[in-house]
mmCIF file of all heavy atoms in Angstrom:
data_model
loop_
_atom_site.group_PDB
_atom_site.id
_atom_site.type_symbol
_atom_site.label_atom_id
_atom_site.label_comp_id
_atom_site.label_asym_id
_atom_site.label_seq_id
_atom_site.Cartn_x
_atom_site.Cartn_y
_atom_site.Cartn_z
ATOM 1 N N ALA A 92 -8.789 0.148 -1.056
ATOM 2 C CA ALA A 92 -8.805 -0.480 0.193
ATOM 3 C C ALA A 92 -7.472 -0.353 0.845
ATOM 4 O O ALA A 92 -6.401 -0.343 0.109
ATOM 5 C CB ALA A 92 -9.247 -1.981 0.073
ATOM 6 N N THR A 93 -7.409 -0.259 2.156
ATOM 7 C CA THR A 93 -5.990 -0.159 2.881
ATOM 8 C C THR A 93 -6.046 -1.110 4.015
ATOM 9 O O THR A 93 -7.060 -1.344 4.734
ATOM 10 C CB THR A 93 -5.899 1.214 3.340
ATOM 11 O OG1 THR A 93 -5.919 2.147 2.265
ATOM 12 C CG2 THR A 93 -4.472 1.390 3.998
ATOM 13 N N GLU A 94 -4.847 -1.647 4.210
ATOM 14 C CA GLU A 94 -4.654 -2.656 5.336
ATOM 15 C C GLU A 94 -3.196 -2.307 5.909
ATOM 16 O O GLU A 94 -2.326 -2.063 5.218
ATOM 17 C CB GLU A 94 -4.662 -4.146 4.874
ATOM 18 C CG GLU A 94 -4.343 -5.039 5.925
ATOM 19 C CD GLU A 94 -4.459 -6.489 5.294
ATOM 20 O OE1 GLU A 94 -5.455 -7.046 5.079
ATOM 21 O OE2 GLU A 94 -3.246 -6.982 5.005
ATOM 22 N N VAL A 95 -3.280 -2.339 7.261
ATOM 23 C CA VAL A 95 -2.008 -2.146 7.941
ATOM 24 C C VAL A 95 -1.832 -3.382 8.837
ATOM 25 O O VAL A 95 -2.710 -3.794 9.541
ATOM 26 C CB VAL A 95 -1.985 -0.841 8.840
ATOM 27 C CG1 VAL A 95 -0.593 -0.853 9.563
ATOM 28 C CG2 VAL A 95 -2.196 0.317 7.943
ATOM 29 N N ASP A 96 -0.620 -3.980 8.713
ATOM 30 C CA ASP A 96 -0.335 -5.256 9.480
ATOM 31 C C ASP A 96 1.114 -5.209 9.854
ATOM 32 O O ASP A 96 1.930 -4.576 9.222
ATOM 33 C CB ASP A 96 -0.649 -6.537 8.702
ATOM 34 C CG ASP A 96 -1.182 -7.604 9.531
ATOM 35 O OD1 ASP A 96 -0.937 -7.524 10.763
ATOM 36 O OD2 ASP A 96 -1.715 -8.602 8.985
ATOM 37 N N ASP A 97 1.475 -6.048 10.941
ATOM 38 C CA ASP A 97 2.774 -6.315 11.240
ATOM 39 C C ASP A 97 3.354 -7.507 10.571
ATOM 40 O O ASP A 97 2.595 -8.503 10.515
ATOM 41 C CB ASP A 97 2.881 -6.558 12.732
ATOM 42 C CG ASP A 97 2.629 -5.290 13.645
ATOM 43 O OD1 ASP A 97 2.866 -4.180 13.041
ATOM 44 O OD2 ASP A 97 2.280 -5.403 14.767
ATOM 45 N N TYR A 98 4.583 -7.476 10.109
ATOM 46 C CA TYR A 98 5.228 -8.612 9.365
ATOM 47 C C TYR A 98 6.533 -8.981 10.119
ATOM 48 O O TYR A 98 7.300 -8.002 10.292
ATOM 49 C CB TYR A 98 5.351 -8.164 7.848
ATOM 50 C CG TYR A 98 4.188 -8.004 7.103
ATOM 51 C CD1 TYR A 98 3.444 -6.718 7.059
ATOM 52 C CD2 TYR A 98 3.520 -8.968 6.429
ATOM 53 C CE1 TYR A 98 2.273 -6.648 6.384
ATOM 54 C CE2 TYR A 98 2.304 -8.865 5.680
ATOM 55 C CZ TYR A 98 1.783 -7.640 5.654
ATOM 56 O OH TYR A 98 0.548 -7.563 4.978
ATOM 57 N N PRO A 99 6.737 -10.216 10.152
ATOM 58 C CA PRO A 99 8.097 -10.571 10.807
ATOM 59 C C PRO A 99 9.273 -10.349 9.793
ATOM 60 O O PRO A 99 9.180 -10.338 8.679
ATOM 61 C CB PRO A 99 7.883 -12.088 11.043
ATOM 62 C CG PRO A 99 6.902 -12.435 10.037
ATOM 63 C CD PRO A 99 5.939 -11.335 9.733
ATOM 64 N N ILE A 100 10.356 -10.012 10.472
ATOM 65 C CA ILE A 100 11.724 -9.793 9.839
ATOM 66 C C ILE A 100 12.452 -10.933 9.964
ATOM 67 O O ILE A 100 12.744 -11.412 11.077
ATOM 68 C CB ILE A 100 12.398 -8.595 10.483
ATOM 69 C CG1 ILE A 100 11.418 -7.296 10.516
ATOM 70 C CG2 ILE A 100 13.726 -8.295 9.761
ATOM 71 C CD1 ILE A 100 11.959 -6.120 11.281
ATOM 72 N N SER A 101 12.905 -11.636 8.860
ATOM 73 C CA SER A 101 13.716 -12.791 8.920
ATOM 74 C C SER A 101 15.200 -12.431 9.496
ATOM 75 O O SER A 101 15.551 -11.182 9.450
ATOM 76 C CB SER A 101 13.745 -13.478 7.499
ATOM 77 O OG SER A 101 14.618 -12.665 6.659
ATOM 78 N N ASP A 102 15.910 -13.415 9.710
ATOM 79 C CA ASP A 102 17.246 -13.212 10.309
ATOM 80 C C ASP A 102 18.159 -12.468 9.318
ATOM 81 O O ASP A 102 19.158 -11.850 9.649
ATOM 82 C CB ASP A 102 17.979 -14.632 10.627
ATOM 83 C CG ASP A 102 17.254 -15.210 11.822
ATOM 84 O OD1 ASP A 102 16.652 -14.460 12.637
ATOM 85 O OD2 ASP A 102 17.488 -16.454 11.969
ATOM 86 N N ASP A 103 17.869 -12.627 7.940
ATOM 87 C CA ASP A 103 18.811 -11.942 6.957
ATOM 88 C C ASP A 103 18.174 -10.460 6.598
ATOM 89 O O ASP A 103 18.690 -9.917 5.662
ATOM 90 C CB ASP A 103 18.759 -12.761 5.628
ATOM 91 C CG ASP A 103 17.594 -12.935 4.977
ATOM 92 O OD1 ASP A 103 16.407 -12.538 5.445
ATOM 93 O OD2 ASP A 103 17.600 -13.449 3.811
ATOM 94 N N GLY A 104 17.199 -10.046 7.430
ATOM 95 C CA GLY A 104 16.701 -8.675 7.152
ATOM 96 C C GLY A 104 15.628 -8.543 6.113
ATOM 97 O O GLY A 104 15.442 -7.467 5.616
#
Side-chain angles (χ1 to χ4, degrees):
T93 303
E94 174 184 281
V95 177
D96 209 347
D97 290 336
Y98 292 89
I100 304 167
S101 69
D102 291 340
D103 68 354

